[in-house]
Amino acid sequence: MAESQSLRPSDPITVMITGHIKPEKAAAFERWLTGINNARSDFPGFLSVDVIRPEEPTDPQYVILVRFDRYDSFKTWQQSAAAAPWLTQLHDFVQQEPDFQYASGLELWFTRPQQERPARKPPWWKQVTVSVLAVYPLILCLNWGLTPLLVKLPRLVATLIVVIILSGLLAYPVMPFVTRLFQPWLYPRP
């Protein structure tokens, strides 16, 4: 599991795990996913897990996105006695060594997991369109909801508060949801 050397202990982290599951192990792998996610959910710093299941039975690739509030929370979980049996079992289900990618920011918004035939990056205009569809409603809601609360603050301070909240919501949960929603359009199958 090669990790980015640029991660700081306080950075929020998303770990993307990509693996091709042995077809005969698919049901057992689904049970494993439920178990490991239950084990993670009570761990300090755990935020969420998203599982992208295979679209076709002929390509049993799973993508698992695990989010922790801080890199050091993730490392503590990864090295814990609670995680060890689950991580050891992962190798029983995969056809080859799973791919782990680590991201501390927004770089996973528009990247696809490694595949035998990598999906092409969506054109910039599609990325901009999806971003606008995510950002515009958020700005409208934040302006509507926060303006009465921030009206007495200096404009620069009020804007900073809105930007901080907007950025947090975009990093999770909005952009992961929106990119999943528009995945067929962003990454059409040939």
Side-chain angles (χ1 to χ4, degrees):
M1 289 192 249
E3 299 175 28
S4 172
Q5 300 302 319
S6 63
L7 291 170
R8 295 179 308 232
S10 61
D11 286 343
I13 185 169
T14 300
V15 182
M16 183 169 67
I17 308 160
T18 307
H20 285 77
I21 304 305
K22 297 172 186 171
E24 68 275 10
K25 299 276 189 168
F29 180 71
E30 288 288 342
R31 288 190 298 275
W32 177 88
L33 276 175
T34 301
I36 193 171
N37 293 336
N38 288 339
R40 265 193 292 248
S41 65
D42 294 331
F43 211 83
F46 172 77
L47 296 176
S48 69
V49 65
D50 292 304
V51 178
I52 303 170
R53 289 173 170 79
E55 293 177 19
E56 299 176 17
T58 56
D59 183 22
Q61 177 178 315
Y62 279 75
V63 178
I64 304 164
L65 299 170
V66 182
R67 293 178 183 83
F68 278 85
D69 65 344
R70 302 166 51 96
Y71 176 68
D72 56 359
S73 298
F74 165 71
K75 289 303 290 180
T76 301
W77 176 81
Q78 186 183 37
Q79 296 166 356
S80 72
W86 295 105
L87 296 175
T88 302
Q89 290 175 22
L90 177 60
H91 297 284
D92 296 339
F93 303 112
V94 293
Q95 295 176 4
Q96 59 193 22
E97 187 69 24
D99 178 47
F100 288 79
Q101 295 181 35
Y102 301 84
S104 62
L106 307 177
E107 59 263 31
L108 286 179
W109 280 6
F110 293 109
T111 56
R112 292 283 291 162
Q114 302 281 330
Q115 298 176 351
E116 289 176 24
R117 290 179 309 149
R120 289 180 34 208
K121 183 177 173 185
W124 69 270
W125 63 271
K126 284 187 177 184
Q127 293 181 45
V128 169
T129 302
V130 170
S131 298
V132 168
L133 289 172
V135 171
Y136 183 67
L138 274 178
I139 289 176
L140 290 177
C141 290
L142 289 174
N143 281 338
W144 174 79
L146 293 178
T147 298
L149 303 172
L150 304 176
V151 71
K152 293 184 179 179
L153 293 176
R155 185 175 179 94
L156 291 175
V157 173
T159 301
L160 176 63
I161 292 170
V162 170
V163 167
I164 289 169
I165 294 170
L166 177 69
S167 299
L169 289 171
L170 284 172
Y172 185 81
V174 174
M175 281 306 288
F177 170 76
V178 171
T179 53
R180 273 196 314 275
L181 184 67
F182 286 95
Q183 183 175 1
W185 182 64
L186 288 167
Y187 304 97
R189 289 201 169 263

